[in-house]
């Protein structure tokens, strides 16, 4: 690859001044800025199109970051994450100093995909032992469609050098802030890695802030009304993190855990924190030391979804007209069939912990009481309610459940642990719940007709995945966080509550395609194919998701990728 001197970029920009926008294509190359190399990976076609993709590459030596900062995978994740955020902050500071407008459309834009509350593996920053690569977006300036070279020169020769100085040179950064960022993420990983051996499914540190600012603002709630988390003594555990430091908090044991309490007392808030405990968070998020097992999957009802050949018979059998539920397909699932399919699909991918909230569950899926059992006899009710499977799933398959249930005490009988949220503070009420269950025994009958089996593997058919649209061979795009357009079909991901970043959604779109092209036929079933794909990502990075260098992807979990595939309206299973 040829690298030009930076003066060449200047010459080229001056030459195309005042010309039509397409002439910008002439600067597509790499340039040596002494401190770093600037690569133009893609040049936008006009000022209103997606901005141009550029990349700064700087050697570890010149940037000065000690190798101890990213000496293991968790530290490297945090290090890269910090650099992305520092770069974003530097962009803001530098652009604040601008006096004039930079022209039409996206002219003058400089942007990086730095992330929100969660710390995710993303493609915006890539650190190795030799170098650091930062991929970002630039809107090449124009007035109408006429190139404004002077402003482009300002961007590439004044602003971006300043941004690099402020964010990618160790001595110009706040070393304590960087250390803390890395330590928080590393400690979170250390906590998560201890859960299993300690017999826990999740941990919530004392003094965590769980509530969020609003339903659309994921930053921590602030103000004097915020109640900091405090574990009940009987559930308190102490975990050792880096440097021998101790962190204490509530450990939720494996098994069946019930979260009860009055309305508005913080039950869902706790469950939501556990559901995002699969990701590390940035310092000051409030959930830095909330961790759940990697195989934790939030389950909800999702009527209207499509289901393709899923064995939902553990929960639903004997549908009207003898419809087979061992290989159940529908274009329009009900609350209970969708919730069943969501569980079975999660188990198929190896889920170890299920999270359910009464707020988003189908009532008939959760409970069936004595009176209803008498009125609607078992022969007429296809549903085996979750209450009759939840213990079996734990005892036979070691799949734990954490369940928010404020409305029914029936679950006291099947719970190992009962936590009551009382004015936002957890209490361990397991003993009381057991006592009440003895004093007021349930009259309802046990309803599971036969033991359940783990789902058998399913193999998707290749022709389910057609990304073409009109003349374009491949057309895949994320429309916000919860929708993907894959070829001609729209894919609704709004029920995948553990998806947190649009860049994950974008990655899912690309990974579906990659899976269908390279893994689907080589592996016997969905799970083994996706596992192989993730193994390759672990070894070679998320860059394998796309054919060219791109800085706008973040790693989703395999559960969300499989979840997306399972929801495709075009999916066909062999
Ligand atoms: P529930 O599920 O028990 O009905 P939620 O978890 O939805 O209750 O919480 C009700 C409200 O209380 C929400 O607006 C939430 O933000 C707020 N909240 C939750 N936990 C706390 C806390 N620890 N401190 C202050 N407010 C909280
Ligand atoms: Mg609730």
């Amino acid at each position: 690859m040829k690298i030009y001197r930076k003066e060449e970029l200047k010459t080229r920009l001056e030459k195309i001044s005042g010309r039509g926008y397409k002439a910008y294509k002439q600067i597509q190359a790499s340039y040596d800025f002494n401190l770093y190399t600037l690569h133009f990976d893609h040049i936008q076609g006009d000022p209103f199109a997606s901005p141009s993709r550029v990349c700064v590459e700087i050697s570890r030596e010149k940037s000065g970051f000690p190798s101890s900062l990213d000496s293991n995978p968790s530290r490297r994740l945090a290090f890269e994450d910090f650099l992305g955020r520092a770069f974003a902050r530097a962009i803001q500071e530098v652009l604040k100093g601008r006096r004039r407008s930079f022209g039409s459309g996206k002219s003058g834009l400089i942007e990086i995909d730095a992330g929100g509350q969660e710390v995710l593996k993303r493609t915006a920053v890539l650190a190795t032992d030799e170098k650091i690569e930062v991929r970002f977006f630039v809107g090449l300036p124009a007035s109408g469609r006429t190139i404004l070279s002077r402003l482009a020169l300002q961007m590439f020769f004044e602003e971006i050098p300043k941004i690099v100085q402020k964010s990618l040179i160790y001595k110009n950064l706040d070393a304590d802030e960087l250390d803390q960022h890395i330590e928080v993420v590393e400690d979170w990983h250390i906590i998560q890695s201890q859960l299993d051996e300690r017999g826990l499914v999740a941990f919530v540190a004392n003094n965590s802030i769980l509530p969020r600012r609003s339903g659309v603002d994921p930053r921590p709630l602030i103000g004097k009304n915020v109640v900091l988390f405090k574990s009940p003594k009987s559930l308190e555990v102490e975990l050792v993190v880096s440097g021998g430091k101790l962190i204490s908090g509530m450990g939720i044991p494996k098994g069946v855990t019930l979260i009860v309490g009055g309305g508005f007392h913080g039950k869902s808030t706790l469950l939501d924190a556990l559901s995002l405990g699969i990701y590390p968070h940035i310092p000051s998020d409030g959930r830095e030391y909330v961790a759940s097992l990697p195989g934790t999957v939030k389950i909800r009802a999702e009527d209207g979804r499509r289901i393709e050949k899923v064995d939902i018979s553990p929960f639903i059998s004997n549908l009207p007209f003898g419809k087979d539920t061992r290989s159940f397909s529908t274009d329009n699932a009900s609350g209970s069939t969708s919730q069943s399919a969501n569980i079975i699909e999660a188990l198929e991918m190896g889920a170890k912990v299920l999270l359910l909230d009464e707020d988003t569950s189908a009532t008939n899926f959760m409970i069936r009481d004595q009176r209803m059992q008498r009125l609607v006899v078992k022969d007429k009710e296809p549903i085996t309610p979750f209450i009759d499977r939840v213990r079996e799933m734990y005892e036979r398959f070691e799949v734990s459940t954490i369940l928010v249930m404020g409305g029914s005490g029936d679950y006291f009988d099947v719970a190992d642990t009962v936590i009551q949220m009382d004015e936002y503070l957890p209490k361990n009420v397991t003993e009381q719940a057991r006592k009440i269950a003895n004093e007021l025994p349930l009259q309802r009958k046990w309803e599971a007709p036969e033991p359940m089996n783990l789902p058998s593997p399913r193999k998707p058919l290749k022709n389910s995945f057609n990304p073409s649209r009109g003349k374009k061979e491949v057309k895949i795009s994320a429309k916000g966080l919860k929708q993907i357009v894959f070829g001609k079909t729209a894919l609704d991901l709004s029920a995948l509550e553990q998806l947190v970043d649009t860049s994950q959604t974008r990655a899912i779109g690309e990974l579906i395609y990659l899976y269908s092209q390279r893994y689907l036929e080589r592996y016997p079933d969905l799970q083994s194919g996706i596992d192989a794909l993730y193994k390759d990502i672990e070894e070679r990075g998320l860059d394998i998701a796309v054919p060219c260098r791109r800085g706008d992807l973040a790693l989703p979990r395999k559960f969300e990728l499989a979840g997306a595939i399972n929801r495709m309206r075009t999916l066909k299973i062999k």
Side-chain angles (χ1 to χ4, degrees), residues 256-505:
V256 178
T257 301
L258 207 57
I259 300 173
V260 301
F264 225 66
H265 276 253
K267 303 182 298 295
S268 297
T269 302
L270 171 59
L271 196 77
D272 289 346
L274 298 173
S275 120
L276 296 184
I278 53 170
Y279 301 121
H281 288 88
I282 54 171
S284 84
D285 172 82
R287 299 166 297 185
E288 295 93 311
Y289 306 118
V290 178
S292 37
L293 286 178
T296 299
V297 180
K298 177 80 195 286
I299 298 292
R300 56 170 296 160
E302 186 187 357
D303 49 314
R305 71 158 281 189
R306 183 163 183 281
I307 297 172
E308 169 66 7
K309 293 193 184 157
V310 176
D311 178 3
I312 57 170
S313 64
F315 298 108
I316 318 257
S317 50
N318 307 321
L319 281 181
F321 309 118
K323 201 164 163 41
D324 187 10
T325 58
R326 275 165 306 172
S327 178
F328 181 76
S329 304
T330 176
D331 282 326
N332 192 2
S334 64
S336 55
T337 48
S338 62
Q339 196 159 0
S340 310
N342 289 353
I343 291 177
I344 300 297
E345 289 165 354
L347 296 178
E348 185 182 354
M349 288 306 293
K352 280 290 166 202
V353 186
L354 304 179
L355 306 180
L356 286 81
D357 192 328
E358 61 184 349
D359 293 351
T360 50
S361 291
T363 308
N364 58 346
F365 178 78
M366 301 305 289
I367 45 178
R368 207 164 106 78
D369 65 12
Q370 181 196 8
R371 286 180 171 170
M372 199 51 83
Q373 283 181 328
R374 197 169 300 174
L375 181 67
V376 181
V377 293
K378 180 63 193 157
D379 301 359
K380 295 282 177 197
E381 172 53 273
I383 302 176
T384 299
F386 190 68
I387 189 169
D388 289 328
R389 290 292 187 202
V390 65
R391 281 226 69 76
E392 184 184 2
M393 282 198 292
Y394 178 59
E395 280 159 15
R396 296 196 30 231
F397 311 125
E398 284 178 42
V399 174
S400 297
T401 295
I402 304 175
L403 185 80
V404 167
M405 185 54 90
S408 165
D410 286 9
Y411 275 87
F412 291 177
D413 284 344
V414 292
D416 298 296
T417 309
V418 184
I419 297 167
Q420 179 181 354
M421 292 306 286
D422 184 3
E423 297 182 350
Y424 310 129
L425 286 174
K427 290 178 174 167
N428 184 353
V429 295
T430 311
E431 287 312 316
Q432 289 100 301
R434 217 160 268 160
K435 202 159 154 265
I436 292 166
N438 285 332
E439 285 167 16
L440 299 172
L442 279 192
Q443 304 295 327
R444 73 182 292 278
K445 288 196 287 283
W446 185 257
E447 281 197 339
E450 51 195 68
M452 78 180 270
N453 294 313
L454 280 179
S456 8
R458 293 177 307 148
K459 183 170 174 87
L461 291 175
K462 179 130 193 234
N463 64 11
S464 316
F465 302 85
N466 181 3
S468 68
R469 177 184 202 142
K471 269 177 285 171
K472 267 200 154 165
E473 271 272 308
V474 176
K475 173 76 187 162
I476 305 168
S477 59
K479 302 265 177 262
L481 179 61
K482 296 294 172 82
Q483 207 193 20
I484 292 174
V485 176
F486 193 88
K488 286 187 190 144
T489 44
L491 180 49
D492 178 10
L493 306 184
S494 43
L496 299 178
E497 295 180 1
Q498 290 162 295
L499 206 57
V500 290
D501 195 307
T502 310
S503 303
Q504 288 180 305
T505 315

Side-chain angles (χ1 to χ4, degrees), residues 30-217:
S30 300
Y31 303 94
D32 181 2
F33 274 72
N34 308 330
L35 182 63
Y36 59 88
T37 310
L38 178 70
H39 304 277
F40 287 87
D41 291 330
H42 174 79
I43 305 278
Q44 67 204 102
D46 74 78
F48 301 91
S50 318
S52 302
R53 297 201 308 266
V54 297
C55 168
V56 158
E57 187 185 328
I58 182 167
S59 72
R60 282 301 283 258
E61 202 183 325
K62 285 182 179 158
S63 66
F65 292 104
S67 57
S68 59
L69 290 175
D70 51 342
S71 50
N72 65 40
S74 134
R75 293 176 70 83
R76 180 156 281 170
L77 166 71
F79 175 62
E80 292 172 337
D81 183 82
F82 184 88
L83 293 184
R85 292 171 199 271
F87 199 87
R89 196 170 3 165
I91 292 174
Q92 283 210 326
E93 286 166 12
V94 167
L95 298 204
K96 242 189 351 237
R98 279 182 180 171
R99 264 184 243 111
R100 54 178 168 253
S101 136
F102 265 57
S104 37
K106 304 213 167 68
S107 289
L109 166 147
I110 306 178
E111 218 169 58
I112 183 165
D113 182 26
Q117 298 302 112
E118 285 76 24
V119 175
L120 305 175
K121 194 80 188 160
R122 38 180 82 244
T123 57
V125 179
L126 186 89
T128 66
D129 294 344
E130 289 77 40
K131 62 173 188 184
I132 296 163
E133 234 180 73
V134 178
R135 295 94 172 259
F136 57 106
F137 301 89
V138 166
L140 296 171
S143 159
R145 286 186 166 73
T146 308
I147 289 178
L148 292 172
S149 288
R150 215 164 34 86
L151 295 182
L153 287 166
Q154 179 180 330
M155 290 173 80
F156 293 112
F157 288 87
E158 291 168 37
E159 295 174 345
I160 290 172
K162 261 191 223 151
I163 293 166
V164 172
Q165 279 291 344
K166 277 172 178 281
S167 61
L168 302 182
I169 304 300
Y170 183 52
K171 66 171 171 34
N172 297 340
L173 286 169
D174 181 340
D176 292 337
E177 195 193 350
L178 173 57
D179 282 340
Q180 209 219 339
H181 196 84
I182 294 172
E183 196 175 302
V184 160
V185 173
E186 190 178 29
D187 286 347
W188 177 88
H189 276 104
I190 296 173
I191 290 172
Q192 194 197 38
S193 68
Q194 292 176 59
L195 293 177
D196 195 43
E197 66 204 44
R198 304 268 308 229
L200 303 175
V201 292
F203 175 82
V204 183
N206 291 335
N207 297 320
S208 293
I209 300 168
L210 305 188
R212 301 292 100 189
R213 223 162 278 184
S214 80
V216 291
D217 185 347

